[in-house]
Amino acid sequence: RKEVEQDPGPFNVPEGATVAFNCTYSNSASQSFFWYRQDCRKEPKLLMSVYSSGNEDGRFTAQLNRASQYISLLIRDSKLSDSATYLCVVLNQAGTALIFGKGTTLSVSS
Amino acid sequence: DAGITQSPRHKVTETGTPVTLRCHQTENHRYMYWYRQDPGHGLRLIHYSYGVKDTDKGEVSDGYSVSRSKTEDFLLTLESATSSQTSVYFCAISESGAVAADEQFFGPGTRLTVL
């Protein structure tokens, strides 16, 4: 089982839609989790950290389920500008490096 | 945006030639990282540095070496480039290291093609 797995998509949704991405991780001892966003041919940028209690930032909500070892990202009221690849990221067991998923591609159309 | 630059931004080279990529930061962050990104693999860590002259291997370090003689510069060297090293290379920086759950700031990337 790969350390961090994501559905690659693409997810094609209309503007205003709600879309959810899931990510699973293999190491039950992982302590830190993140979602990064990467636009086409650009560098990744931190979207949000994921906390055990769940956290929300505007239209974005991240959830962590430790028992099932998955992380989710919910985007409400999708905008054209949300079109990007979303990377699920987990801290490795040694605490020395981030492990990136392959990413889930979202395309929002008008 | 964090002050990170990478040079060159694009490079085409031939198999067997040495290649050095440079990452330069103006943030005075302690940690610096080199990743490669390939279709179907996502970002993979090559090497990282936790201070001047302090470096360690990542997941895919074979065929690569690094050096950090100044806080602001982190060099990635391919001693003898191979076609399997064709990739997009990203440098990243962070203040306190991955274990501190610090945000990593990425440079714009270098597209390397090895013919």
Side-chain angles (χ1 to χ4, degrees), chain B residues 29-59:
Chain B
H29 282 357
R30 179 181 174 189
Y31 288 78
M32 298 185 76
Y33 310 83
W34 276 108
Y35 292 90
R36 61 178 290 175
Q37 187 173 36
D38 306 288
H41 286 280
L43 279 154
R44 292 179 292 173
L45 183 66
I46 304 171
H47 282 279
Y48 68 98
S49 170
Y50 47 96
V52 173
K53 300 192 189 304
D54 292 323
T55 64
D56 207 348
K57 295 179 179 179
E59 177 188 358

Side-chain angles (χ1 to χ4, degrees), chain A residues 20-36:
Chain A
F21 308 137
N22 289 330
C23 163
T24 58
Y25 60 94
S26 60
N27 187 351
S28 60
S30 298
Q31 295 296 320
S32 299
F33 311 90
F34 312 88
W35 285 100
Y36 276 69

Side-chain angles (χ1 to χ4, degrees), chain A residues 41-43, chain B residues 4-12 20-22 87-90 107-113:
Chain A
R41 301 179 75 85
K42 297 288 189 180
E43 71 272 20
Chain B
I4 312 169
T5 56
Q6 293 185 230
S7 58
R9 293 292 313 280
H10 302 271
K11 186 171 182 66
V12 179
T20 296
L21 308 183
R22 180 183 184 234
S87 187
V88 179
Y89 291 85
F90 286 101
T110 294
R111 292 186 176 275
L112 176 67
T113 301

Side-chain angles (χ1 to χ4, degrees), chain A residues 2-60:
Chain A
K2 294 192 183 301
E3 291 194 68
V4 180
E5 292 198 71
Q6 300 181 246
D7 180 346
F11 284 66
N12 298 303
V13 303
E15 277 186 291
T18 295
V19 61
F21 308 137
N22 289 330
C23 163
T24 58
Y25 60 94
S26 60
N27 187 351
S28 60
S30 298
Q31 295 296 320
S32 299
F33 311 90
F34 312 88
W35 285 100
Y36 276 69
R37 170 192 167 131
Q38 186 173 23
D39 293 322
C40 187
R41 301 179 75 85
K42 297 288 189 180
E43 71 272 20
K45 293 184 178 180
L46 180 67
L47 178 66
M48 57 198 306
S49 300
V50 186
Y51 304 117
S52 296
S53 56
N55 47 301
E56 187 174 307
D57 183 1
R59 298 182 293 108
F60 298 82

Side-chain angles (χ1 to χ4, degrees), chain B residues 64-105:
Chain B
Y64 301 95
S65 63
V66 290
S67 66
R68 191 166 177 202
S69 58
K70 298 185 290 185
T71 298
E72 57 266 35
D73 290 326
F74 193 31
L75 304 180
L76 177 70
T77 298
L78 292 65
E79 300 291 348
S80 178
T82 67
S83 59
S84 65
Q85 293 176 311
T86 292
S87 187
V88 179
Y89 291 85
F90 286 101
C91 174
I93 64 173
S94 68
E95 192 165 6
S96 303
V99 70
D102 263 1
E103 177 176 359
Q104 289 191 12
F105 299 93

